[in-house]
Amino acid sequence: MGRQKKSRKNYRKGTKKKRQFGFFRRLAIGFYVIAGAAALMATSVLFVFAYDVITQCDYFNAKILKIEGVQRLSRNQIIEAAQVKKGMNILDVNLAMVRKRLLAQPWIANAEIRREIPAGLYIKVQEHAPLAIIDLGRKFLLNENGQIFKEWTDTDPANLPLVSGLAPTDIRIHGKIDAQQSVSRKGLSQLGEPQNDPFEAVIQVLRLGKQNRRILSNRDIRQIQVDREIGITLVAFKQMKTIELGYYNYPLKFNMLKNILTYGKHRRSFPEFDRIDLNNVNRIVVNPVSKVPPGDHKEV
């Protein structure tokens, strides 16, 4: 018996060439991938090397520290808070981190920092402007936006109006009113003022006191006493005079107070007073200072 012949496989013409082409194509792709990775690695090393060279170059060392906006704080306090100094490489300074450090300082409300190539750092700060001291069991400083920004200490300004009678829940935090004390805007006075909102009333009085420098400024106001039912009572001037404002119409009441004080200043016959009641603008009450004649004292 003869051997059985194996069946012969048929290949299409050109199949072998296609296989060879596919192999070389995969080889080329692999080469490009390896070359790309090597180039990326080399570029990264080059950038790291360049960064090290630049950040260690004396040419970019800070020779000028320019600081603006300082009022209460000193230049040295700003530098200490920012943790910057002359001689440090300005390209190695993390500007975002420096700003974060500055904002951690209680007196700084906002801060800007930038590099001034080749050898300068520029820092501009905006400090809180204290408007009053508020007594909540502990004393705090209130800024012009009605926000508490730090606890009052003996080194802080003491010649500010002292606000008493408010509760912690009355105070505005980050520009908002505490949710428990939010005021309904349905009932408003003619001047658009919220009704019986003690904190808002205090802020309005303080802002008017900031504007009225001639008659009754915040420098003249010693105390702002808050009563939720009665409203605002001021203790003002060196003579510690009592001025009852109540709620609403503060611009009008300040103007009426101005007229009373101006009239008394130019009239010698106008008696010295220790209390003015401006709760009702249609019925102003002025209480004169009671003077006891020298001969009326009796020994007991």
PDB file of all heavy atoms in Angstrom, residues 232-257:
ATOM      1  N   ILE A 232     -32.982 100.838  70.740  1.00  0.00           N
ATOM      2  CA  ILE A 232     -31.607 101.284  70.963  1.00  0.00           C
ATOM      3  C   ILE A 232     -31.568 102.496  71.893  1.00  0.00           C
ATOM      4  O   ILE A 232     -32.321 103.451  71.720  1.00  0.00           O
ATOM      5  CB  ILE A 232     -30.944 101.666  69.622  1.00  0.00           C
ATOM      6  CG1 ILE A 232     -30.960 100.468  68.658  1.00  0.00           C
ATOM      7  CG2 ILE A 232     -29.519 102.157  69.846  1.00  0.00           C
ATOM      8  CD1 ILE A 232     -30.165  99.293  69.125  1.00  0.00           C
ATOM      9  N   THR A 233     -30.664 102.436  72.859  1.00  0.00           N
ATOM     10  CA  THR A 233     -30.366 103.568  73.724  1.00  0.00           C
ATOM     11  C   THR A 233     -28.868 103.836  73.673  1.00  0.00           C
ATOM     12  O   THR A 233     -28.067 102.915  73.840  1.00  0.00           O
ATOM     13  CB  THR A 233     -30.792 103.296  75.182  1.00  0.00           C
ATOM     14  OG1 THR A 233     -32.208 103.091  75.222  1.00  0.00           O
ATOM     15  CG2 THR A 233     -30.427 104.478  76.070  1.00  0.00           C
ATOM     16  N   LEU A 234     -28.496 105.094  73.442  1.00  0.00           N
ATOM     17  CA  LEU A 234     -27.090 105.479  73.368  1.00  0.00           C
ATOM     18  C   LEU A 234     -26.666 106.177  74.647  1.00  0.00           C
ATOM     19  O   LEU A 234     -27.450 106.924  75.248  1.00  0.00           O
ATOM     20  CB  LEU A 234     -26.854 106.424  72.184  1.00  0.00           C
ATOM     21  CG  LEU A 234     -27.296 105.956  70.796  1.00  0.00           C
ATOM     22  CD1 LEU A 234     -26.939 107.023  69.765  1.00  0.00           C
ATOM     23  CD2 LEU A 234     -26.674 104.630  70.435  1.00  0.00           C
ATOM     24  N   VAL A 235     -25.436 105.943  75.044  1.00  0.00           N
ATOM     25  CA  VAL A 235     -24.784 106.734  76.082  1.00  0.00           C
ATOM     26  C   VAL A 235     -23.628 107.431  75.385  1.00  0.00           C
ATOM     27  O   VAL A 235     -22.724 106.772  74.864  1.00  0.00           O
ATOM     28  CB  VAL A 235     -24.285 105.857  77.241  1.00  0.00           C
ATOM     29  CG1 VAL A 235     -23.571 106.714  78.280  1.00  0.00           C
ATOM     30  CG2 VAL A 235     -25.451 105.098  77.875  1.00  0.00           C
ATOM     31  N   ALA A 236     -23.688 108.765  75.338  1.00  0.00           N
ATOM     32  CA  ALA A 236     -22.761 109.506  74.465  1.00  0.00           C
ATOM     33  C   ALA A 236     -22.141 110.692  75.181  1.00  0.00           C
ATOM     34  O   ALA A 236     -22.617 111.150  76.224  1.00  0.00           O
ATOM     35  CB  ALA A 236     -23.495 109.979  73.214  1.00  0.00           C
ATOM     36  N   PHE A 237     -21.064 111.161  74.564  1.00  0.00           N
ATOM     37  CA  PHE A 237     -20.309 112.332  75.004  1.00  0.00           C
ATOM     38  C   PHE A 237     -19.604 112.076  76.342  1.00  0.00           C
ATOM     39  O   PHE A 237     -19.867 111.081  77.015  1.00  0.00           O
ATOM     40  CB  PHE A 237     -21.212 113.573  75.091  1.00  0.00           C
ATOM     41  CG  PHE A 237     -22.000 113.832  73.844  1.00  0.00           C
ATOM     42  CD1 PHE A 237     -23.380 113.714  73.830  1.00  0.00           C
ATOM     43  CD2 PHE A 237     -21.355 114.172  72.673  1.00  0.00           C
ATOM     44  CE1 PHE A 237     -24.112 113.947  72.686  1.00  0.00           C
ATOM     45  CE2 PHE A 237     -22.078 114.414  71.507  1.00  0.00           C
ATOM     46  CZ  PHE A 237     -23.448 114.293  71.512  1.00  0.00           C
ATOM     47  N   LYS A 238     -18.740 112.992  76.701  1.00  0.00           N
ATOM     48  CA  LYS A 238     -17.986 112.855  77.948  1.00  0.00           C
ATOM     49  C   LYS A 238     -18.909 112.939  79.166  1.00  0.00           C
ATOM     50  O   LYS A 238     -18.623 112.377  80.216  1.00  0.00           O
ATOM     51  CB  LYS A 238     -16.919 113.946  78.035  1.00  0.00           C
ATOM     52  CG  LYS A 238     -15.822 113.809  76.993  1.00  0.00           C
ATOM     53  CD  LYS A 238     -14.790 114.919  77.132  1.00  0.00           C
ATOM     54  CE  LYS A 238     -13.703 114.773  76.088  1.00  0.00           C
ATOM     55  NZ  LYS A 238     -12.687 115.854  76.196  1.00  0.00           N
ATOM     56  N   GLN A 239     -20.035 113.650  78.994  1.00  0.00           N
ATOM     57  CA  GLN A 239     -20.984 113.800  80.100  1.00  0.00           C
ATOM     58  C   GLN A 239     -21.881 112.577  80.258  1.00  0.00           C
ATOM     59  O   GLN A 239     -22.755 112.562  81.130  1.00  0.00           O
ATOM     60  CB  GLN A 239     -21.851 115.043  79.885  1.00  0.00           C
ATOM     61  CG  GLN A 239     -21.073 116.343  79.821  1.00  0.00           C
ATOM     62  CD  GLN A 239     -20.542 116.628  78.411  1.00  0.00           C
ATOM     63  OE1 GLN A 239     -20.721 115.831  77.495  1.00  0.00           O
ATOM     64  NE2 GLN A 239     -19.887 117.767  78.244  1.00  0.00           N
ATOM     65  N   MET A 240     -21.694 111.575  79.406  1.00  0.00           N
ATOM     66  CA  MET A 240     -22.465 110.325  79.459  1.00  0.00           C
ATOM     67  C   MET A 240     -23.971 110.612  79.398  1.00  0.00           C
ATOM     68  O   MET A 240     -24.761 110.175  80.226  1.00  0.00           O
ATOM     69  CB  MET A 240     -22.127 109.547  80.725  1.00  0.00           C
ATOM     70  CG  MET A 240     -20.652 109.213  80.865  1.00  0.00           C
ATOM     71  SD  MET A 240     -20.043 108.112  79.551  1.00  0.00           S
ATOM     72  CE  MET A 240     -20.670 106.520  80.095  1.00  0.00           C
ATOM     73  N   LYS A 241     -24.369 111.339  78.379  1.00  0.00           N
ATOM     74  CA  LYS A 241     -25.776 111.650  78.186  1.00  0.00           C
ATOM     75  C   LYS A 241     -26.502 110.458  77.567  1.00  0.00           C
ATOM     76  O   LYS A 241     -25.946 109.736  76.750  1.00  0.00           O
ATOM     77  CB  LYS A 241     -25.929 112.883  77.290  1.00  0.00           C
ATOM     78  CG  LYS A 241     -25.279 114.143  77.864  1.00  0.00           C
ATOM     79  CD  LYS A 241     -25.476 115.318  76.933  1.00  0.00           C
ATOM     80  CE  LYS A 241     -24.752 116.550  77.445  1.00  0.00           C
ATOM     81  NZ  LYS A 241     -25.247 117.009  78.753  1.00  0.00           N
ATOM     82  N   THR A 242     -27.768 110.291  77.942  1.00  0.00           N
ATOM     83  CA  THR A 242     -28.588 109.184  77.446  1.00  0.00           C
ATOM     84  C   THR A 242     -29.464 109.665  76.302  1.00  0.00           C
ATOM     85  O   THR A 242     -30.179 110.665  76.439  1.00  0.00           O
ATOM     86  CB  THR A 242     -29.468 108.617  78.573  1.00  0.00           C
ATOM     87  OG1 THR A 242     -28.629 108.153  79.635  1.00  0.00           O
ATOM     88  CG2 THR A 242     -30.312 107.460  78.058  1.00  0.00           C
ATOM     89  N   ILE A 243     -29.408 108.947  75.187  1.00  0.00           N
ATOM     90  CA  ILE A 243     -30.211 109.289  74.012  1.00  0.00           C
ATOM     91  C   ILE A 243     -30.990 108.040  73.601  1.00  0.00           C
ATOM     92  O   ILE A 243     -30.410 107.049  73.163  1.00  0.00           O
ATOM     93  CB  ILE A 243     -29.330 109.772  72.841  1.00  0.00           C
ATOM     94  CG1 ILE A 243     -28.486 110.976  73.275  1.00  0.00           C
ATOM     95  CG2 ILE A 243     -30.182 110.116  71.631  1.00  0.00           C
ATOM     96  CD1 ILE A 243     -27.402 111.347  72.292  1.00  0.00           C
ATOM     97  N   GLU A 244     -32.284 108.090  73.755  1.00  0.00           N
ATOM     98  CA  GLU A 244     -33.142 106.941  73.432  1.00  0.00           C
ATOM     99  C   GLU A 244     -33.620 107.068  71.987  1.00  0.00           C
ATOM    100  O   GLU A 244     -34.304 108.026  71.629  1.00  0.00           O
ATOM    101  CB  GLU A 244     -34.324 106.888  74.398  1.00  0.00           C
ATOM    102  CG  GLU A 244     -33.902 106.664  75.848  1.00  0.00           C
ATOM    103  CD  GLU A 244     -35.094 106.601  76.790  1.00  0.00           C
ATOM    104  OE1 GLU A 244     -36.242 106.624  76.299  1.00  0.00           O
ATOM    105  OE2 GLU A 244     -34.875 106.532  78.028  1.00  0.00           O
ATOM    106  N   LEU A 245     -33.253 106.077  71.173  1.00  0.00           N
ATOM    107  CA  LEU A 245     -33.611 106.098  69.750  1.00  0.00           C
ATOM    108  C   LEU A 245     -34.728 105.125  69.412  1.00  0.00           C
ATOM    109  O   LEU A 245     -35.419 105.299  68.390  1.00  0.00           O
ATOM    110  CB  LEU A 245     -32.380 105.761  68.896  1.00  0.00           C
ATOM    111  CG  LEU A 245     -31.216 106.751  68.943  1.00  0.00           C
ATOM    112  CD1 LEU A 245     -30.059 106.233  68.094  1.00  0.00           C
ATOM    113  CD2 LEU A 245     -31.638 108.128  68.463  1.00  0.00           C
ATOM    114  N   GLY A 246     -34.901 104.085  70.208  1.00  0.00           N
ATOM    115  CA  GLY A 246     -35.914 103.085  69.896  1.00  0.00           C
ATOM    116  C   GLY A 246     -35.595 102.344  68.610  1.00  0.00           C
ATOM    117  O   GLY A 246     -34.438 102.043  68.307  1.00  0.00           O
ATOM    118  N   TYR A 247     -36.620 102.064  67.817  1.00  0.00           N
ATOM    119  CA  TYR A 247     -36.452 101.435  66.507  1.00  0.00           C
ATOM    120  C   TYR A 247     -36.887 102.409  65.404  1.00  0.00           C
ATOM    121  O   TYR A 247     -37.630 103.363  65.651  1.00  0.00           O
ATOM    122  CB  TYR A 247     -37.310 100.170  66.403  1.00  0.00           C
ATOM    123  CG  TYR A 247     -36.759  98.986  67.165  1.00  0.00           C
ATOM    124  CD1 TYR A 247     -37.421  98.474  68.270  1.00  0.00           C
ATOM    125  CD2 TYR A 247     -35.567  98.365  66.770  1.00  0.00           C
ATOM    126  CE1 TYR A 247     -36.928  97.378  68.960  1.00  0.00           C
ATOM    127  CE2 TYR A 247     -35.064  97.269  67.452  1.00  0.00           C
ATOM    128  CZ  TYR A 247     -35.739  96.783  68.547  1.00  0.00           C
ATOM    129  OH  TYR A 247     -35.240  95.703  69.236  1.00  0.00           O
ATOM    130  N   TYR A 248     -36.405 102.153  64.192  1.00  0.00           N
ATOM    131  CA  TYR A 248     -36.841 102.836  62.965  1.00  0.00           C
ATOM    132  C   TYR A 248     -36.410 104.302  62.862  1.00  0.00           C
ATOM    133  O   TYR A 248     -36.093 104.952  63.854  1.00  0.00           O
ATOM    134  CB  TYR A 248     -38.373 102.775  62.773  1.00  0.00           C
ATOM    135  CG  TYR A 248     -39.044 101.543  63.273  1.00  0.00           C
ATOM    136  CD1 TYR A 248     -40.138 101.615  64.126  1.00  0.00           C
ATOM    137  CD2 TYR A 248     -38.570 100.282  62.903  1.00  0.00           C
ATOM    138  CE1 TYR A 248     -40.761 100.478  64.582  1.00  0.00           C
ATOM    139  CE2 TYR A 248     -39.194  99.138  63.357  1.00  0.00           C
ATOM    140  CZ  TYR A 248     -40.288  99.233  64.200  1.00  0.00           C
ATOM    141  OH  TYR A 248     -40.896  98.102  64.670  1.00  0.00           O
ATOM    142  N   ASN A 249     -36.401 104.750  61.615  1.00  0.00           N
ATOM    143  CA  ASN A 249     -36.216 106.175  61.271  1.00  0.00           C
ATOM    144  C   ASN A 249     -34.956 106.795  61.877  1.00  0.00           C
ATOM    145  O   ASN A 249     -34.959 107.946  62.305  1.00  0.00           O
ATOM    146  CB  ASN A 249     -37.444 106.996  61.711  1.00  0.00           C
ATOM    147  CG  ASN A 249     -38.715 106.591  61.015  1.00  0.00           C
ATOM    148  OD1 ASN A 249     -38.686 106.065  59.902  1.00  0.00           O
ATOM    149  ND2 ASN A 249     -39.840 106.791  61.671  1.00  0.00           N
ATOM    150  N   TYR A 250     -33.882 106.051  61.892  1.00  0.00           N
ATOM    151  CA  TYR A 250     -32.658 106.573  62.509  1.00  0.00           C
ATOM    152  C   TYR A 250     -32.089 107.801  61.790  1.00  0.00           C
ATOM    153  O   TYR A 250     -31.626 108.730  62.458  1.00  0.00           O
ATOM    154  CB  TYR A 250     -31.609 105.467  62.619  1.00  0.00           C
ATOM    155  CG  TYR A 250     -32.021 104.354  63.558  1.00  0.00           C
ATOM    156  CD1 TYR A 250     -31.961 103.031  63.164  1.00  0.00           C
ATOM    157  CD2 TYR A 250     -32.463 104.642  64.845  1.00  0.00           C
ATOM    158  CE1 TYR A 250     -32.335 102.008  64.022  1.00  0.00           C
ATOM    159  CE2 TYR A 250     -32.846 103.634  65.716  1.00  0.00           C
ATOM    160  CZ  TYR A 250     -32.790 102.313  65.297  1.00  0.00           C
ATOM    161  OH  TYR A 250     -33.166 101.309  66.160  1.00  0.00           O
ATOM    162  N   PRO A 251     -32.093 107.855  60.459  1.00  0.00           N
ATOM    163  CA  PRO A 251     -31.593 109.084  59.810  1.00  0.00           C
ATOM    164  C   PRO A 251     -32.374 110.318  60.248  1.00  0.00           C
ATOM    165  O   PRO A 251     -31.790 111.376  60.515  1.00  0.00           O
ATOM    166  CB  PRO A 251     -31.778 108.789  58.317  1.00  0.00           C
ATOM    167  CG  PRO A 251     -31.758 107.304  58.213  1.00  0.00           C
ATOM    168  CD  PRO A 251     -32.416 106.814  59.452  1.00  0.00           C
ATOM    169  N   LEU A 252     -33.695 110.186  60.340  1.00  0.00           N
ATOM    170  CA  LEU A 252     -34.527 111.307  60.770  1.00  0.00           C
ATOM    171  C   LEU A 252     -34.217 111.677  62.221  1.00  0.00           C
ATOM    172  O   LEU A 252     -34.107 112.865  62.572  1.00  0.00           O
ATOM    173  CB  LEU A 252     -36.004 110.945  60.617  1.00  0.00           C
ATOM    174  CG  LEU A 252     -37.015 111.975  61.133  1.00  0.00           C
ATOM    175  CD1 LEU A 252     -36.844 113.303  60.402  1.00  0.00           C
ATOM    176  CD2 LEU A 252     -38.442 111.445  60.983  1.00  0.00           C
ATOM    177  N   LYS A 253     -34.041 110.684  63.074  1.00  0.00           N
ATOM    178  CA  LYS A 253     -33.775 110.949  64.491  1.00  0.00           C
ATOM    179  C   LYS A 253     -32.401 111.582  64.688  1.00  0.00           C
ATOM    180  O   LYS A 253     -32.226 112.460  65.545  1.00  0.00           O
ATOM    181  CB  LYS A 253     -33.908 109.648  65.282  1.00  0.00           C
ATOM    182  CG  LYS A 253     -35.345 109.143  65.366  1.00  0.00           C
ATOM    183  CD  LYS A 253     -35.449 107.803  66.068  1.00  0.00           C
ATOM    184  CE  LYS A 253     -36.908 107.342  66.135  1.00  0.00           C
ATOM    185  NZ  LYS A 253     -37.056 106.021  66.779  1.00  0.00           N
ATOM    186  N   PHE A 254     -31.428 111.149  63.916  1.00  0.00           N
ATOM    187  CA  PHE A 254     -30.105 111.773  63.993  1.00  0.00           C
ATOM    188  C   PHE A 254     -30.188 113.239  63.569  1.00  0.00           C
ATOM    189  O   PHE A 254     -29.532 114.111  64.153  1.00  0.00           O
ATOM    190  CB  PHE A 254     -29.113 111.017  63.100  1.00  0.00           C
ATOM    191  CG  PHE A 254     -28.297 109.992  63.830  1.00  0.00           C
ATOM    192  CD1 PHE A 254     -28.896 108.852  64.346  1.00  0.00           C
ATOM    193  CD2 PHE A 254     -26.934 110.156  64.019  1.00  0.00           C
ATOM    194  CE1 PHE A 254     -28.167 107.899  65.023  1.00  0.00           C
ATOM    195  CE2 PHE A 254     -26.180 109.217  64.696  1.00  0.00           C
ATOM    196  CZ  PHE A 254     -26.793 108.071  65.207  1.00  0.00           C
ATOM    197  N   ASN A 255     -30.987 113.521  62.557  1.00  0.00           N
ATOM    198  CA  ASN A 255     -31.135 114.900  62.092  1.00  0.00           C
ATOM    199  C   ASN A 255     -31.842 115.753  63.138  1.00  0.00           C
ATOM    200  O   ASN A 255     -31.475 116.924  63.369  1.00  0.00           O
ATOM    201  CB  ASN A 255     -31.917 114.916  60.775  1.00  0.00           C
ATOM    202  CG  ASN A 255     -31.898 116.283  60.109  1.00  0.00           C
ATOM    203  OD1 ASN A 255     -30.832 116.857  59.883  1.00  0.00           O
ATOM    204  ND2 ASN A 255     -33.078 116.810  59.811  1.00  0.00           N
ATOM    205  N   MET A 256     -32.841 115.182  63.797  1.00  0.00           N
ATOM    206  CA  MET A 256     -33.551 115.909  64.850  1.00  0.00           C
ATOM    207  C   MET A 256     -32.620 116.157  66.041  1.00  0.00           C
ATOM    208  O   MET A 256     -32.652 117.231  66.656  1.00  0.00           O
ATOM    209  CB  MET A 256     -34.795 115.130  65.285  1.00  0.00           C
ATOM    210  CG  MET A 256     -35.829 114.974  64.184  1.00  0.00           C
ATOM    211  SD  MET A 256     -37.268 114.017  64.683  1.00  0.00           S
ATOM    212  CE  MET A 256     -38.102 115.213  65.705  1.00  0.00           C
ATOM    213  N   LEU A 257     -31.799 115.188  66.369  1.00  0.00           N
ATOM    214  CA  LEU A 257     -30.826 115.365  67.446  1.00  0.00           C
ATOM    215  C   LEU A 257     -29.847 116.481  67.096  1.00  0.00           C
ATOM    216  O   LEU A 257     -29.479 117.295  67.953  1.00  0.00           O
ATOM    217  CB  LEU A 257     -30.084 114.056  67.691  1.00  0.00           C
ATOM    218  CG  LEU A 257     -28.992 114.081  68.763  1.00  0.00           C
ATOM    219  CD1 LEU A 257     -29.587 114.400  70.125  1.00  0.00           C
ATOM    220  CD2 LEU A 257     -28.242 112.757  68.792  1.00  0.00           C
TER     221      LEU A 257
END
